[in-house]
Amino acid sequence: HMEAGNEEGRATVLNGLGNAYNILSRYDEALKNFRESLDIRRRISDRRGVSVALGNIAMVEAFRGHSEEALKAAQEALAISREMGDTAGLADGYLSLGDVYQRAGRAKEALESYQESLKIVRETGDESLLARNLSSMGYINTVLGRYVEAFFFLKDALARKRAIGDRAEIRRALTDIGIVEQFQGRYEEALKYYLEGLSLAREMGDKGAAAILSTNLAEIHEDQGEYAAALDLLVEGERQAREMGDKGQTAFCLARVGRTKHHLGDLAGAQTALKEAVGLAREIGIAPILAETLAYQGDLLLSRGEAGQAAVVLKEAVSAAEKAEDLRLLLMARLSAAKAGRSIRDLEAVLKEAGIS
């Protein structure tokens, strides 16, 4: 395959290497191989290959927090599939575009893209792509606070993925179902899904998934007041995220480390972790991560008696949560902002709007 004259074969090998590096969360090396594959596909006028390479580049750029670059690549890939009349490519293209929107915190646009993909893929009968799409529909409905719909899509996806035997996709579905169960306070069920997912992630050597699942397990300990156990898992998740160079996941873990240290009374340690988390969140520009880190930082400032500064930070947190269209984050940020303003009326208004009395 690597002979000089076999350009198509070389592009295929480069694409395979890119996928391998992506699984290992070595995003710079993955991107390098995908771009080389793209250059070859363009040179030999392989339109379908160009579309696939662009989709892969969009995926990696989204993971790295480069939303504009990811969006540009995903939209070009979709346009090529549309021009070619490639039904399977179109379904995959809409799915990839939805993933980019989701990573950028643009939930409603992500949902619209996933719905377009789902309409096409149900007609094609591609079981693997259908399972991935159902997972994406489940995840984005979770973000939008629609837990019943999310659970329906995710259980369907998990059953299909188990039948196919795709361990990476099974792990993803297990994680997402665990999140839905946790958000509804069903901790034992959530724990069951998370632990199975973590076992699969470790078997596959998927450090990124292991870091996320460590964070999810920590949240269950936090929700039950077991902060020391939570901190151990979060520090491990942060270490794995740093090793991978995943700034988004590092910021997410640091924010949770800061929140947990706050609960444990280590205000100085909390401040250090949250300051770095906010810096990283601003750098990558992903609205949901920025909203969450700012909300935790605002709560810490309130605890330190700095209500004025807290109000400024929490106002930005509310704005970021609104941009992300994440109802859970928006409620969290607005409740903290109401506390910062010491306004009982504002607090009651937030609770009433959320349906909490």
Side-chain angles (χ1 to χ4, degrees), residues 79-100:
I80 291 170
S81 294
R82 188 179 291 114
E83 289 168 12
M84 294 175 61
D86 181 353
T87 305
L90 203 56
D92 194 43
Y94 274 118
L95 186 58
S96 296
L97 182 61
D99 289 343
V100 171

Side-chain angles (χ1 to χ4, degrees), residues 317-319 321-322 326-335 350:
V318 170
S319 176
E322 287 174 341
D326 188 317
L327 298 183
R328 182 185 64 88
L329 285 177
L330 183 57
L331 175 60
M332 180 176 72
R334 290 183 65 195
L335 283 171
V350 173

Side-chain angles (χ1 to χ4, degrees), residues 3 19 23 30 46 79 140 147 167 198 214 232 262 265 283 294 301 307 313 339:
E3 292 177 10
N19 282 322
I23 289 169
D46 178 1
I140 208 65
Y147 300 132
R167 292 194 301 166
L198 184 59
S214 292
D232 288 342
H262 183 188
E283 180 183 340
L294 287 169
L301 288 165
V313 169
K339 286 189 290 182

Side-chain angles (χ1 to χ4, degrees), residues 52 240 243 347 352-353:
V52 170
Q240 291 171 328
E243 283 183 2
L347 184 60
K352 183 177 180 181
E353 186 175 328

Side-chain angles (χ1 to χ4, degrees), residues 179-227:
I179 291 169
V180 173
E181 295 284 31
Q182 183 184 340
F183 283 175
Q184 296 181 96
R186 297 199 287 260
Y187 299 122
E188 290 300 319
E189 289 298 310
L191 191 63
K192 179 181 72 174
Y193 288 112
Y194 286 155
L195 288 174
E196 185 182 350
L198 184 59
S199 176
L200 279 174
R202 286 172 174 164
E203 284 176 19
M204 294 184 293
D206 188 338
K207 292 182 179 180
I212 291 168
L213 281 155
S214 292
T215 306
N216 292 345
L217 287 166
E219 287 181 356
I220 291 181
H221 285 296
E222 272 194 278
D223 288 345
Q224 297 178 321
E226 300 164 355
Y227 299 120

Side-chain angles (χ1 to χ4, degrees), residues 1-2 6-17 33-34 36-41 44 46:
H1 275 304
M2 296 301 288
N6 191 348
E7 291 279 77
E8 183 177 354
R10 185 165 183 268
T12 300
V13 171
L14 287 165
N15 186 68
L17 286 169
N33 281 280
F34 286 144
E36 286 185 29
S37 178
L38 174 63
D39 288 342
I40 293 171
R41 299 294 187 187
I44 64 176
D46 178 1

Side-chain angles (χ1 to χ4, degrees), residues 56-116:
N56 288 332
I57 289 169
M59 171 180 60
V60 177
E61 292 285 31
F63 283 144
R64 298 168 84 210
H66 299 166
S67 301
E68 291 306 314
E69 293 92 333
L71 190 59
K72 181 180 177 182
Q75 288 174 332
E76 185 181 350
L78 188 64
I80 291 170
S81 294
R82 188 179 291 114
E83 289 168 12
M84 294 175 61
D86 181 353
T87 305
L90 203 56
D92 194 43
Y94 274 118
L95 186 58
S96 296
L97 182 61
D99 289 343
V100 171
Y101 280 133
Q102 181 262 115
R103 293 283 299 189
R106 295 162 65 172
K108 289 181 181 176
E109 288 160 298
L111 179 61
E112 289 169 3
S113 293
Y114 292 148
Q115 287 171 333
E116 286 297 321

